[in-house]
Amino acid sequence: MGTSNRAKQFINRIDEGTLQKRYLPNHGFDYTNGPEDIARMRFNNYIGSCGYRLMRHRIEAEARTYRG
């Protein structure tokens, strides 16, 4: 099956409304449960990590230096 045939089928599915929408189960304001909770915990771990703090320190230090 060629690419143009697949594209036409895709457009037909959109027009017919048979294309299933993929979305995360929680789309509210609290961002909890399931995959969202795992992503939130990973983000919080990253923000609290030493590597993130060192990176921010290096960026701020470079912003104050003059290289001319």
Side-chain angles (χ1 to χ4, degrees):
M1 179 180 282
T3 305
S4 64
N5 288 339
R6 281 190 239 145
K8 288 176 186 176
Q9 285 180 351
F10 181 71
I11 291 172
N12 287 338
R13 288 181 67 192
I14 292 173
D15 290 338
E16 294 169 357
T18 59
L19 186 66
Q20 295 293 321
K21 182 178 178 182
R22 294 184 183 175
Y23 58 89
L24 293 173
N26 179 13
H27 47 279
F29 294 109
D30 58 353
Y31 199 65
T32 56
N33 297 328
E36 294 96 340
D37 200 30
I38 293 170
R40 183 185 52 79
M41 287 188 314
R42 287 181 180 166
F43 178 75
N44 287 342
N45 288 340
Y46 169 70
I47 291 297
S49 70
C50 183
Y52 174 76
R53 292 176 190 267
L54 289 173
M55 179 188 68
R56 294 297 310 158
H57 179 72
R58 285 193 299 271
I59 289 172
E60 290 172 3
E62 285 184 15
R64 292 186 291 238
T65 60
Y66 173 74
R67 296 179 186 175

